[in-house]
Amino acid sequence: MHTHLRGAMAVGAGAVAVALSLTGCSSGNTPASTSTSTSGAPTSSSTTSSAPSNGLSSSSSALTILFGSSGDAETKAMQDAATAWSATSGTQVTVTTAANMDQEMAQGFAGGKPADVFYLGTGVLAGYADAGNLLAYGDLMPNKADFYPSLVANFTYKGKFYCAPKDFSTLGLIINTDMWAAAGLTDADYPTTWEQLHAVAKRLTTGGVTGIIPGGQYERLGAFMVQNGSNLMSPDGTKVTAADQSNIDALAFVKTMLADGSMKFAADVSAGWGGEAFGTGKAAMTIEGNWITGAMNGDYKNIKWKAVPLPTGPSGKKGTLQFTNCWGIAAASPNQQAALKLVEFMTTKDQQMKFSQAFGVLPSIQSAAADYKAAYPNLSIFMDAVQYAQGVPTLKGSSDVLKELNNNLGQLATSDPATILNAAQTQLQALMK
Amino acid sequence: MKSASARSSSRTGGIRRGEVISGWLFTAPMLLIVGLFLVVPIGMALWVSVSDYSGRGSPFSGEFHFVGLTHYAEITSGGGLTERNFGIALRNSLWYTLLVVPTQTAISLMLAVLLNRQRLRGRGFFRTAFYFPSVTSSVAITVLWLFLFNATGAINAMLGWLHINGPNWFNNPQGLLHATLSGLGVNRAPNALARHTILGVSWWDWLAGPSWAMTALMLMAIFTTSGTFMLLFIAALQNLSPEVDEAAIVDGANGWQRFWQVTLPQVRPTIFTVVTLGVIGCWQVFDQVFTGTQGQPANTTLTPAYLAYNTAFGPNAQWGTAAAIGFVLFVIIILFNLGQRAMLTDRSDRAPRPHRVKVGTKGAAS
């Protein structure tokens, strides 16, 4: 009896121990990680605390950087930068590329050991911040005033400047210059209005080539909304304006181009994105950002191209969309001091110019604009666009709304712009509460 | 666990004590494994589905609170996007299950009957050939499928020979029923169907049928699973005693009659297995969507499993909602299997045929 009971208890205790360690393995914000913290405060509270010496955790822990890479060039540039910083700071840095950024971040947060420093998109900021996963360190950046204000606004949530903008991109009109010349068009014909865009697109549409093939998503077509003086949300993000008449008119214009075949969406020609349709010669024009340089120099070397500003809408307003990432620092990082130093290094002018050279992004600081334009005159239109570019909605949950909106925009040719935008209006408004 | 075994040991007395201990010892590894990989995770998920877990640290860390059925309410009411996406995922999977399960069962049974013939030459080759898709990685087959069903891919090229203008498979969200109806001139939903909604999806949209993209995925599922189920059927058929078939021949039954009246009733237990596995598999479709379509176009290949994954691991990290979707999915699968069990067992009970049942049960052991 006794032996038996003991045996059963041993089994039971074993199971409990395993169960505990199972759940315990994901409660990483307790022991070792804070053992060398100088501030003495648990790292989790450092987001809100204003303890002396800026309240950041500090230890001799090595740092990890996790990022979704656009390719070998970006990966290598990041590794080089990390190595360079390690050499001067003495803190070791491990650079890891993520195959599935969202999932790997979620696993890291749940396990209590996220990467110390990571790429953070505007779409996930609100969710991560609300869950308490992020260190709001923006105000500690010495070069805070140098970042473009629109980018700072993108990474300010509930009044806190969370993270330093890494770089940004804007959309432009990408033109196949050979097809342009073959259609008898010259530099004077670059479209500056919607009508002109429509006219050249029609002219460039021949047999197997479509005038313009953008991706059928808000992240491209939204530029037309901005050109018409509106966007899904007001620039300060306080009002939902999706169902504005200007937006409806913008989509209606896109629809007329779809109707006469001078525009198609990338998916309609089985291309993954506008750049692919353009690079494979299916399109004479597309709407893409400065990142297209990577694909054009790598995969589609034989295509000659030029980037020009997007046309203005009937309102005469210039408009485009901007996209940006920031350097997130984890609230659970045991070495936030070093992480902050690393981010400072990564956002210096020299380092940002190196990234621009490696993978074509635009530096996030105003002091680098002149250098960038001097180095890449043919891409300066993307840099100039920062003056009038608008961001995409960053409300918590807005990525789901955009996904749904994109589902509907893909069918724009056969559906009603007002219905699509009214749905987005309702869904975005539901998130404002 | 403890008390039950204690009772049994006191009842059986000292002489069997050793056996009880070794019994526990022998089952201990399995109990541990089941506890570790089944009971604990399910318990955790259940707690996550009724708590405000934010994805930070352990769900049991004490920072998180019980929120009741909020997450379940989110996916079943409220008119939000979450509810609508869940409704769409259910619709997609419902069509998928209704069309894939009968087709793959019929095809695998047919292949098994054909390959079970004694006089067929090269049986081994055909069996391998039909089974081959089942042992290939679903990721590889998905990629292959994306190429085959590309707008300018091999399938459309073949349709072109028949002067059929193939659809843009993976980019056309129109449901097959809607497409058929619009071919007949019905392009708008009748008012009654458009006005009423279930789970945020209008009746008209529930009746859309699978999209072209989903149809391609369905064909893939049939292509890959029929081989596995064929194997089950072959095993069942080989267990049947040839005398019954011979008796039927003597009675003057032709091949068609023998199949329907003699063979089919005997393999009913296997049909039950195949349909059960099929239904479970259909509701759990994930990898094709994850690697192939990500729910596109227009959410018509969104499945509950993929939606749950995306809800938890997507940018918004709604763990509670995702866990709730998982549990609702679990209930749906259970309900489907109960219903199908009722359907399949009911009939055989009502019309017992002694000689067949006897042979049948022998076959059922497989």
Side-chain angles (χ1 to χ4, degrees), chain A residues 173-198:
Chain A
L173 184 66
I174 316 295
I175 291 173
N176 182 320
T177 46
D178 284 341
M179 290 183 187
W180 190 262
L185 295 163
T186 65
D187 286 5
D189 296 316
Y190 293 138
T192 57
T193 65
W194 284 2
E195 288 72 32
Q196 290 173 6
L197 177 71
H198 197 170

Side-chain angles (χ1 to χ4, degrees), chain A residues 87-282:
Chain A
T88 56
S89 70
T91 305
Q92 214 179 338
V93 183
T94 315
V95 174
T96 315
T97 54
N100 186 334
M101 190 72 186
D102 286 338
Q103 180 186 330
E104 285 171 46
M105 288 311 298
Q107 282 167 340
F109 290 136
K113 290 202 171 21
D116 300 277
V117 177
F118 43 87
Y119 281 14
L120 182 68
T122 48
V124 295
L125 173 73
Y128 286 179
D130 275 346
N133 286 324
L134 294 182
L135 173 71
Y137 70 87
D139 289 333
L140 301 173
M141 292 295 292
N143 55 348
K144 183 188 162 197
D146 199 9
F147 293 113
Y148 288 100
S150 65
L151 302 182
V152 172
N154 263 327
F155 295 111
T156 302
Y157 178 66
K158 292 190 175 163
K160 273 192 229 165
F161 178 27
Y162 266 87
C163 50
K166 182 173 76 74
D167 48 40
F168 73 104
S169 305
T170 60
L171 296 177
L173 184 66
I174 316 295
I175 291 173
N176 182 320
T177 46
D178 284 341
M179 290 183 187
W180 190 262
L185 295 163
T186 65
D187 286 5
D189 296 316
Y190 293 138
T192 57
T193 65
W194 284 2
E195 288 72 32
Q196 290 173 6
L197 177 71
H198 197 170
V200 295
K202 270 197 220 164
R203 196 152 159 191
L204 287 164
T205 305
T206 55
V209 178
T210 306
I212 179 166
I213 304 187
Q217 323 130 4
Y218 163 72
E219 286 83 358
R220 305 290 176 273
L221 305 179
F224 289 103
M225 300 184 188
V226 182
Q227 288 151 22
N228 212 18
S230 190
N231 197 351
L232 291 181
M233 310 224 8
S234 60
D236 59 355
T238 55
K239 231 179 110 214
V240 181
T241 54
D244 271 11
Q245 190 58 41
S246 348
N247 289 336
I248 297 174
D249 293 344
L251 289 190
F253 167 69
V254 174
K255 197 177 163 177
T256 56
M257 288 192 71
L258 290 169
D260 64 22
S262 57
M263 181 197 277
K264 276 185 189 152
F265 291 153
D268 296 331
V269 296
S270 287
W273 59 300
E276 186 187 332
F278 183 76
T280 50
K282 288 173 180 165

Side-chain angles (χ1 to χ4, degrees), chain B:
Chain B
M1 161 164 87
K2 233 181 289 167
S3 67
S5 54
R7 239 188 292 124
S8 75
S9 76
S10 66
R11 211 189 308 127
T12 48
I15 205 158
R16 312 204 74 149
R17 188 188 296 160
E19 287 179 24
V20 173
I21 294 170
S22 23
W24 276 110
L25 272 178
F26 277 115
T27 45
M30 198 56 214
L31 284 178
L32 253 178
I33 289 169
V34 169
L36 186 60
F37 291 106
L38 214 63
V39 180
V40 173
I42 290 178
M44 279 174 93
L46 193 61
W47 163 244
V48 167
S49 80
V50 293
S51 75
D52 59 354
Y53 178 55
S54 68
R56 181 167 186 235
S58 161
F60 298 122
S61 69
E63 288 176 52
F64 307 111
H65 313 96
F66 179 70
V67 293
L69 295 178
T70 323
H71 297 307
Y72 290 89
E74 241 173 76
I75 55 171
T76 52
S77 62
L81 204 51
T82 320
E83 182 199 359
R84 186 177 151 73
N85 282 342
F86 183 61
I88 288 177
L90 284 190
R91 184 221 29 207
N92 296 340
S93 278
L94 207 58
W95 281 109
Y96 187 96
T97 311
L98 287 179
L99 294 170
V100 167
V101 171
T103 319
Q104 76 188 13
T105 310
I107 289 182
S108 51
L109 181 58
M110 194 186 74
L111 291 177
V113 170
L114 290 177
L115 294 187
N116 198 39
R117 292 193 178 169
Q118 300 302 323
R119 265 166 295 165
L120 184 72
R121 291 173 85 191
R123 273 198 304 174
F125 168 77
F126 283 117
R127 275 183 206 179
T128 315
F130 291 136
Y131 189 59
F132 216 75
S134 308
V135 294
T136 311
S137 139
S138 69
V139 173
I141 294 196
T142 307
V143 173
L144 176 78
W145 230 248
L146 290 177
F147 280 108
L148 285 179
F149 285 85
N150 189 295
T152 52
I155 300 285
N156 277 359
M158 279 169 63
L159 289 174
W161 297 340
L162 304 169
H163 300 287
I164 298 171
N165 201 357
N168 190 346
W169 293 88
F170 282 109
N171 189 40
N172 193 335
Q174 195 177 32
L176 291 194
L177 280 186
H178 277 182
T180 316
L181 284 173
S182 85
L184 296 171
V186 185
N187 279 314
R188 282 192 163 275
N191 246 341
L193 291 182
R195 225 174 325 119
H196 298 91
T197 62
I198 305 173
L199 292 175
V201 180
S202 73
W203 289 13
W204 172 249
D205 283 337
W206 277 95
L207 296 173
S211 67
W212 291 104
M214 193 53 134
T215 310
L217 292 187
M218 283 163 41
L219 291 174
M220 181 169 109
I222 294 165
F223 174 69
T224 51
T225 48
S226 292
T228 315
F229 293 144
M230 172 195 79
L231 227 53
L232 290 181
F233 279 124
I234 288 181
L237 290 172
Q238 286 180 341
N239 257 332
L240 301 184
S241 100
E243 287 88 13
V244 182
D245 215 36
E246 280 161 21
I249 296 175
V250 171
D251 284 347
N254 63 23
W256 191 244
Q257 285 170 324
R258 288 204 309 278
F259 173 73
W260 284 105
Q261 312 284 342
V262 180
T263 311
L264 202 59
Q266 293 185 83
V267 296
R268 176 165 289 153
T270 311
I271 296 182
F272 178 76
T273 312
V274 166
V275 173
T276 307
L277 292 176
V279 166
I280 295 175
C282 281
W283 279 99
Q284 292 180 335
V285 171
F286 176 80
D287 32 3
Q288 299 92 310
V289 180
F290 181 76
T291 41
T293 62
Q294 279 89 44
Q296 297 303 314
N299 281 345
T300 55
T301 59
L302 187 69
T303 63
Y306 183 74
L307 179 67
Y309 164 81
N310 218 17
T311 310
F313 290 99
N316 300 322
Q318 294 163 306
W319 293 78
T321 315
I325 293 173
F327 278 98
V328 173
L329 184 59
F330 171 72
V331 170
I332 289 173
I333 292 178
I334 296 283
L335 288 180
F336 253 75
N337 280 320
L338 285 178
Q340 162 237 336
R341 204 176 115 179
M343 263 161 55
L344 274 175
T345 49
D346 206 17
R347 257 188 291 161
S348 65
D349 287 350
R350 221 183 290 139
R353 291 189 183 137
H355 65 281
R356 276 176 197 154
V357 168
K358 227 180 274 164
V359 184
T361 44
K362 212 168 130 199
S366 64

